[in-house]
């Protein structure tokens, strides 16, 4: 029987070398929306070719194989400690065999551990699953796209953004405008609204697990997502920041209840290489 | 799109001066990878040109932390895309001035100091296709040398790489024109409109 460690190594391999079909197809579609023979359409075509090449040759799509972020749902009674140990072992093995780029650096000593593990690295979030299945979702989150994420506190005087969905809308437009072409657009944008900084940062990150074409269960947030996709694309930043109509592939938003005094909005970005995968065990 | 211009590194100032923001190019010859640690080392330790194992005169510095597979002590590049350049803004103008570098390549563009140095010293910034790591690794002919591999680690080491027809776009040129600045100011007008109203 296949061991869980090997299942997680395979999950890493699939996430690092093949883009989810929903993301790939929206990238391919957007190449045709850009002006023919422009730098933007040409870049998207090279990106499409890169995606196919990586899948065929099982090589990483991007040399930055990212910060591995795990969302684990464990069945009742399963030890989180044991799962964590297996994830660490699988990470070391995946780094060696795929290979992944060693990205875990101790900020105090400056030393790269060389195997993608360290204190709090990979990032792992645990939850209890509703059934007997162990579910592991993995995002390989590029460093460049992590650096352009933003957290806002509403009201925000500079943006004239108040504590409502129009205020959230202004935050997202501001974050995309400030990102410009620095982190490999077209982007997928995750938005989290709620009471505390840590909560909204996690919530916006979790939105990056959603399929591009899914529909938000809240009608209000669904409307916000589709109008923000359209409005941010009007900015004209374009693929790679070369100008054009595709700056954002999709916006995904979620909210938690907030405190009467707080209204926090977090915006997370994924580069076009939105690498995610799911393992059911 | 007009046919891309071919350019070979190391390069002369004359060849660089013919480039304009927006040009598509195919790069051949030798390129040197240098990201955060290499720039910090050059800037803080200020090594003499003769102390470096490769000549940076006329060179192309590539902001890239590659994935290199090592089997039987043989290195092979498997992923070779650009990293975000703006992190090197504090160092790059100084590097261009002091080492005679004629090309900088990365993604996302750079700031005012670098743009000024490009104009003063006749150099250009090339934008590679971010994330296209497998595609760009195919453009590698061979690894010629590596510096500081043990000390800096794989992504941060300086790799001297021979490439053929590596595609890029000139986004900051020796006349001081920046495609990033023009895209930003165009988008700023739309941004101001969007922020000042309350949606549709």
């Amino acid at each position: 029987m296949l061991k869980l460690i090997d299942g997680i190594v395979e999950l890493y391999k699939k996430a690092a070398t093949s883009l989810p079909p929903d993301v790939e197809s929206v990238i391919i579609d957007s190449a045709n929306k850009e002006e023919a023979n422009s730098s933007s359409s040409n870049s998207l075509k090279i990106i499409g070719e890169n995606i196919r090449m990586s899948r065929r040759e099982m090589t990483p799509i991007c040399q930055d194989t990212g910060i591995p972020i795990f969302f684990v749902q464990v069945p009742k009674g399963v030890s989180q400690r044991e799962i964590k140990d297996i994830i660490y072992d699988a990470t070391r093995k995946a780094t060696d065999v795929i290979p992944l780029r060693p990205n875990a650096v101790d900020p105090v000593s400056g030393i790269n551990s060389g195997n993608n593990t360290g204190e709090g690295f990979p990032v792992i979030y645990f939850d209890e699953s509703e059934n007997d299945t162990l579910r592991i979702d993995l995002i390989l989150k590029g460093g460049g796209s992590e650096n352009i994420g933003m957290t806002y506190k509403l009201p925000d005087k500079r943006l004239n953004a108040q504590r409502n969905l129009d205020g959230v809308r202004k935050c997202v437009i501001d974050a995309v405008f400030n990102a410009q072409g620095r982190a490999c657009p077209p982007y997928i944008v995750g938005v989290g609204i709620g009471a505390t900084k840590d909560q909204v940062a996690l919530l916006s990150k979790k939105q990056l697990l959603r399929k591009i074409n899914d529909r938000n269960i809240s009608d209000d947030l669904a409307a916000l997502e589709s109008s923000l996709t359209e409005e941010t694309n009007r900015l004209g930043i374009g693929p790679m920041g070369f100008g054009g109509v595709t700056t954002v592939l999709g916006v995904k938003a979620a909210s938690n209840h907030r405190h009467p005094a707080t209204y926090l909005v977090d915006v997370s970005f994924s580069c076009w290489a939105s690498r995610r995968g799911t393992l059911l065990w | 799109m007009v046919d891309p211009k071919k350019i070979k590194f190391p390069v002369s100032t004359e060849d660089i001066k013919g480039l304009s923001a927006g040009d598509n190019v195919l790069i051949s010859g030798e390129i040197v990878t240098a990201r955060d640690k290499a720039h910090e080392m050059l800037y803080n330790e200020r090594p003499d040109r003769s102390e470096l194992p490769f000549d940076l005169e006329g060179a192309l510095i590539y902001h890239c932390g590659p994935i290199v597979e090592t089997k039987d002590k043989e290195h092979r590049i498997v992923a070779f895309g650009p990293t975000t350049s703006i992190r090197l803004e504090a160092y790059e103008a100084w590097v261009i001035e002091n080492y005679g570098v004629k090309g900088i390549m990365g993604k996302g563009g750079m700031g005012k100091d670098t743009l000024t140095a490009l104009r003063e010293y006749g150099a250009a910034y090339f934008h590679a296709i971010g994330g296209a790591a497998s595609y760009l690794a195919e453009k590698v002919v061979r690894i010629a040398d590596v510096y500081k591999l043990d000390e800096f680690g794989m992504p941060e080491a300086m790799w001297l790489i021979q490439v053929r027809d590596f595609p890029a776009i000139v986004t900051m040129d020796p006349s001081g024109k920046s495609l990033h600045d023009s895209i930003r100011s165009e988008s700023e007008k739309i941004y101001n409109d969007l922020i000042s109203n309350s949606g549709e």
Side-chain angles (χ1 to χ4, degrees):
Chain A
M1 200 181 98
L2 198 63
K3 286 184 175 166
L4 180 57
I5 178 174
D6 297 317
I8 298 171
V9 172
E10 278 308 303
L11 176 63
Y12 264 114
K13 186 163 208 168
K14 187 155 187 244
T17 64
S18 72
L19 212 58
D22 58 303
V23 180
E24 182 174 359
S25 91
V26 73
I27 290 172
I28 304 301
D29 288 350
S30 57
N32 300 319
K33 292 182 192 154
E34 298 297 334
E35 194 185 318
N37 294 325
S38 62
S39 298
S40 304
S41 85
N42 196 32
S43 305
L44 289 171
K45 283 179 187 154
I46 289 181
I47 285 169
E49 177 60 30
N50 183 67
I51 294 168
R52 288 187 290 277
M53 195 180 265
S54 292
R55 183 178 293 126
R56 192 174 62 229
E57 291 167 24
M58 307 277 268
T59 50
I61 292 169
C62 178
Q63 78 290 337
D64 181 6
T65 47
I67 306 156
I69 306 177
F70 284 90
F71 299 92
V72 185
Q73 293 176 35
V74 292
K76 189 176 177 184
V78 171
S79 159
Q80 294 185 12
R81 163 65 59 188
E82 278 175 25
I83 302 287
K84 186 181 168 186
D85 289 345
I86 295 168
I87 287 175
Y88 268 66
D89 287 343
T91 301
R92 286 186 276 266
K93 193 169 172 186
T95 302
D96 189 41
V97 299
I98 296 174
L100 302 174
R101 195 176 72 182
N103 278 343
V105 182
D106 180 342
V108 179
S109 68
I111 293 170
N112 189 323
S113 72
N115 59 21
N116 275 313
T117 67
E119 195 62 44
F121 202 109
V123 179
I124 309 173
Y125 297 104
F126 283 103
D127 222 332
E128 189 172 310
S129 68
E130 287 169 3
N131 50 40
D132 290 339
T133 308
L134 170 69
R135 182 188 170 112
I136 301 180
D137 290 295
L138 170 64
I139 297 179
L140 296 177
K141 185 69 173 61
S145 66
E146 193 57 23
N147 274 337
I148 58 168
M150 298 279 280
T151 308
Y152 297 85
K153 292 175 212 141
L154 298 185
D156 184 301
K157 191 157 181 277
R158 178 178 66 90
L159 298 173
N160 188 25
Q162 300 185 43
R163 295 174 169 195
N164 51 37
L165 289 189
D166 185 59
V168 175
R169 166 188 166 271
K170 287 175 175 170
C171 297
V172 176
I173 292 168
D174 185 66
V176 175
F177 169 71
N178 281 302
Q180 291 286 313
R182 276 180 293 150
C184 290
Y187 304 121
I188 298 169
V189 181
V191 184
I193 310 163
T196 68
K197 282 193 297 179
D198 50 324
Q199 175 201 45
V200 294
L202 177 56
L203 196 56
S204 73
K205 197 61 98 305
K206 274 187 176 169
Q207 303 316 302
L208 303 180
L209 287 169
R210 287 171 52 192
K211 288 212 165 79
I212 286 276
N213 296 319
D214 74 350
R215 193 179 189 284
N216 202 306
I217 47 168
S218 152
D219 287 343
D220 290 330
L221 292 179
L224 181 73
E225 289 174 355
S226 74
S227 67
L228 270 174
T229 305
E230 190 269 323
E231 288 191 301
T232 49
N233 278 323
R234 268 196 245 161
L235 290 169
I237 296 163
M240 286 297 125
F242 295 155
V245 296
T246 318
T247 306
V248 166
L249 298 171
V251 177
K252 302 287 164 192
S255 67
N256 283 162
H257 278 56
R258 65 179 181 88
H259 180 275
T262 66
Y263 196 121
L264 284 137
V265 179
D266 189 84
V267 186
S268 280
F269 286 81
S270 171
C271 54
W272 66 259
S274 181
R275 290 152 292 169
R276 53 173 149 81
T278 302
L279 175 70
L280 300 172
W281 199 259
Chain B
M1 191 174 65
V2 291
D3 282 344
K5 292 183 179 177
K6 298 228 175 195
I7 183 162
K8 191 165 184 237
F9 280 90
V11 80
S12 68
T13 308
E14 288 317 303
D15 289 338
I16 285 287
K17 283 197 168 153
L19 297 174
S20 312
D23 282 353
N24 284 273
V25 294
L26 291 173
I27 294 164
S28 297
E30 284 183 343
I31 66 184
V32 183
T33 72
R35 46 178 292 159
D36 307 70
K37 275 200 177 179
H39 280 80
E40 285 161 20
M41 181 272 291
L42 292 173
Y43 186 80
N44 293 328
E45 296 172 21
R46 313 208 160 186
D48 194 75
R49 288 183 188 202
S50 61
E51 294 171 52
L52 296 171
F54 7 98
D55 193 5
L56 293 179
E57 183 70 42
L60 176 64
I61 281 186
Y62 182 26
H63 301 152
C64 168
I67 299 180
V68 185
E69 195 175 48
T70 307
K71 276 184 187 156
D72 304 326
K73 294 188 180 173
E74 282 290 309
H75 300 305
R76 186 178 73 93
I77 303 261
V78 294
F80 200 49
T83 190
T84 306
S85 297
I86 195 70
R87 293 196 311 276
L88 292 327
E89 178 63 11
Y91 315 103
E92 208 67 276
W94 188 87
V95 169
I96 292 167
E97 181 185 343
N98 287 278
Y99 293 97
V101 171
K102 291 291 175 208
I104 303 294
M105 181 159 70
K107 68 178 170 84
M110 299 191 72
K112 277 202 187 84
D113 290 352
T114 301
L115 190 62
T116 305
L118 296 177
R119 198 181 57 226
E120 266 180 47
Y121 300 98
Y125 177 85
F126 301 84
H127 198 301
I129 308 300
S134 298
Y135 183 89
L136 296 174
E138 292 268 299
K139 308 300 173 191
V140 171
V141 178
R142 69 183 193 101
I143 299 174
D145 202 356
V146 60
Y147 182 53
K148 299 261 183 195
L149 178 58
D150 291 340
E151 189 181 339
F152 289 177
M154 178 208 295
E156 301 276 356
M158 295 176 81
W159 297 87
L160 182 67
I161 309 282
Q162 212 173 39
V163 298
R164 186 180 299 128
D165 292 341
F166 186 107
I169 290 147
V170 178
T171 56
M172 296 162 71
D173 70 23
S175 76
K177 197 173 154 232
S178 161
L179 184 68
H180 307 286
D181 288 353
S182 43
I183 298 279
R184 187 180 180 96
S185 61
E186 283 301 308
S187 66
E188 191 160 21
K189 293 175 202 156
I190 303 156
Y191 165 79
N192 287 332
D193 276 355
L194 290 171
I195 290 292
S196 63
N197 69 38
S198 294
E200 307 291 272

